[in-house]
Structure formats: structure tokens, C-alpha cells
Amino acid sequence: MKRYFKNIGPGAIITAAFIGPGTVTTCIKSGYETGYSLLGIMFFAILIAIFIQIFAAKIGIITQIGISKNIRENTHSIVGKVFSVLLIVLAIFVGNSAFEVGNITGAVIGLTGIIGNGFVAVKVFAISTIVFVLLWCGKYEKIEKILGIAVLVMTVCFVVAAILSKPNIGQILKEVFSFKIINKNIMMVGALIGTTVGPYSIFLHSETAAERWHSPSDVKYMIFDTIVSIGVGGIISCCIMIVAAATAKELQISEMTIGNFAVALSASIGNSGQFIFYLGLLAAGITSAITAPLAAAYTIVGICFSEKIDKQEWKFKAVWILVLIIGAIVSIVWENSPAEVIVIVQFANAVILPIIMIFLYKCLNSRRMNEYKNNVFMNFILFLIIVICFFLSIRNIFRIF
């Protein structure tokens, strides 16, 4: 067991990636509007995320290259290769740049709640500088440890906040196993699954798994790492939903935003609870602000160039620096997460996630996987996940239009 826990790492990075301000906002909105009724759906979303991330990391370990390079190698026609490269590069770059705005903005809100209002530009600069320094060093192990610590901080903060909100445990247990999905909540269901299973996390996990593990015998450590880490992410998400649901009746909020919600929390869980929530939000913003540019660099460099990815190469650094700069500038200019850009990101993710899942299926059954190709049962599980992603994507697309 000591060896298993010693191999915790890449999964923690994925948890740090998807537990950002976007996830916090979605979970707050879900808990505030629907109470505990979608907690069961969050468990389902975490289960889907665990399977997808295990599939992605397995490709990285067995082939020793990320999914982006696998897609490049497994797409043989010129038209297909050009289409896949353009689609993934555009969606990942635009999407992660927009997410970076939300990540930095969320971290600023958390920092503001701790140290006070004012000097937004200074706060954005300080957070962006921290992210820049960590990424510029290029030390994978150091980034991994920092993100692991931040995930632990988030877990403690949001669990304590959930306890302070004094939820109805009996009602929670009843709702968790009810799996209520009514038509008016279908978009919230899609949002919870979408915020848990982000396209860029799939690429990031395959790359980090390939860097950490180098033998098929290491797959068992990866599975343990993924289940524990993503499971912790699920606990964090559920705690945020519980806080919002438990305090919904006491809060009078006209517009549901992270800032408004955090301020209103003081009436229900006190100033200390509010401080804890802000600290967790700050950690969530910084961790996602690190992983979004990192994932964009891995994905774009991996699919556009044939050589092995080197984090010290100018191509790799140029991508994450550009994503970080765009996020910082837009955060200063607009000060709030821009709704127009987020709508574009939602549309891009709605279109690209099922397509990436098909690429994932193709990679898992390619020649490079040798005897470690998916078996019939695993392909059936993956097929069901693809169908679910297509269904939710179609609903999201219709909703956007």
C-alpha cells in the first residue's frame, strides 16, 4: 500500500485541473437551484471521469506518448489528419484561454475575500506571476507536489465548509440514491458531467502518465492513483453542492455568482466559514490556472509536431505563455468571467468531447497498444460513455442556439 500511495501524482493533477472556479460555480448553482437532488448525478459524473481518465492514462503508459501524438499517428488520410489537428488545436487553445480567464478571476475573488477589495490588476499580476514561475521551471515533480498540496487544502476547506453549513444528512442519503433526472434539470446534469470530464484533462492525463510510468506493470498504480484522486475531486464537488443546498433558504441572492455566494455565506456559516471557502476558492483558481496552459501546451505541441515533447523547448513555452497572457489581460479588462467567451467554450466543448472520445476509442484499439488493447467489456463501457456524451452535447448545442 505504501508503494501505491507513493505513486499518487498524475491523478492529483487532473483533480487540480477540473476543480476550478468553473466547477465551483456549477456546483454552487446546482446545489442552490436543485438542493441535494443532483448529488447522485455527481457520483455518476465522477464514475464516468474515472473510466475516461484511466483509458487516457493507459494509452500514455503503454505507448509512452500522449493521446495527441496517438491521434496524429492513427489518422492516416491527409484530410482526416488536417481536420483533426485544426479541430483539436482550435478547441483546446480557445477553450483553455477562456477557462484561464475564469481560473484567474476565481483566484482573484478568493484572494479578495481574504485580504480585501481593490487592486484587481495587482492581484491578477501576482497570481499570473506565481503560475508563470511554476511553469517556467518546468519541474514536473515540483508542480505535481504543489498541486497535490493544493488539492489537500481544497478538500479540507470545502469539507469543513460543508460541516459548518449543518446539512440534513438523512435527506442527502435519500437524494444520493434517487438519481432524479427531470427534464428541467437535464442541462444541469450535462453541466455537472461536462465540468468533471473536460477535454483538455484527457490529453493532460495521458501525457503526465507517460512521464511518470514507463511499464505496463505500472497500470495498476495508475488505476489506484486515478480512483483515489478523482474520488477526492468528487468529494470536493459534492461538499460545494451541499454547502449551496444547505444554505439556499437562508441566502437572498438575485444573481448567482461565486462572489455573491461567498459573501452571502457569512450569514449561514459565519466569517470563519466564509474565510475557509475563500481559501479553497483561491487554491482552486491557482491550480486550474496552472493546468489549463500546461494542458494546452502538451496537446498543441503533441499534435502539431512529431518529435518528443520537451517542456524547455520554445514551442511548448510559447503556447502556455500565450494562454496565460490572454487569461491575465482579459481578467484585468473585464474583471469578471466574460459570458460571451464562456458560451463559445461551452459550444466548443459540446462539439469536441464526443469526437475526442471517438479518437480515444480508436487509440485504445490501435496496433500500438498490442496485447493491451481494450477487451470487449471495456469497449462496451467506452461505447456507453460516448453515447452519453453525444446525448448531452446535442442538448447543450440546442440550448446554446
Side-chain angles (χ1 to χ4, degrees), residues 10 12-20 96 100 103 131 135 143 147 200-201 204 208 284-299 320 323:
I13 291 179
I14 302 308
T15 301
F18 81 80
I19 300 293
N96 284 25
E100 191 68 354
N103 296 334
V131 173
L135 290 175
I143 292 174
L147 293 180
Y200 81 81
S201 296
L204 182 59
T208 54
I286 291 178
T287 56
S288 294
I290 293 171
T291 54
L294 187 64
Y298 269 126
T299 305
W320 67 253
V323 171

Side-chain angles (χ1 to χ4, degrees), residues 266-289:
S266 61
S268 55
I269 64 175
N271 291 330
S272 59
Q274 186 187 44
F275 173 84
I276 290 170
F277 189 88
Y278 276 127
L279 182 61
L281 179 59
L282 175 61
I286 291 178
T287 56
S288 294

Side-chain angles (χ1 to χ4, degrees), residues 36 39 162 165-175 242 245-246:
Y36 304 122
L39 281 172
S165 66
K166 299 177 182 178
N168 187 329
I169 303 299
Q171 186 67 20
I172 289 175
L173 293 175
K174 179 181 177 182
E175 298 286 1
I242 288 170

Side-chain angles (χ1 to χ4, degrees), residues 122 280 365:
V122 175
N365 293 278

Side-chain angles (χ1 to χ4, degrees), residues 369-399:
M369 295 297 290
N370 298 319
E371 68 267 30
Y372 300 99
K373 291 180 182 178
N374 263 12
N375 57 34
V376 175
F377 177 71
M378 286 294 101
N379 276 334
F380 177 71
I381 295 294
L382 187 55
F383 174 76
L384 289 180
I385 294 174
I386 291 173
V387 171
I388 292 170
C389 289
F390 263 112
F391 171 74
L392 293 174
S393 294
I394 291 170
R395 292 300 299 260
N396 282 333
I397 291 170
F398 276 113
R399 173 67 179 268

Side-chain angles (χ1 to χ4, degrees), residues 174-190:
K174 179 181 177 182
E175 298 286 1
V176 163
F177 297 104
S178 65
F179 286 92
K180 291 180 181 177
I181 306 179
I182 55 179
N183 189 54
K184 69 176 182 180
N185 286 338
I186 193 68
M187 293 310 302
M188 187 59 70
V189 172

Side-chain angles (χ1 to χ4, degrees), residues 24 40 52 87 97 114 144 237 243 262 281 303 370:
V24 174
I52 291 176
L87 176 67
S97 296
I114 295 171
E144 187 181 275
S237 298
V243 172
L281 179 59
I303 202 166
N370 298 319

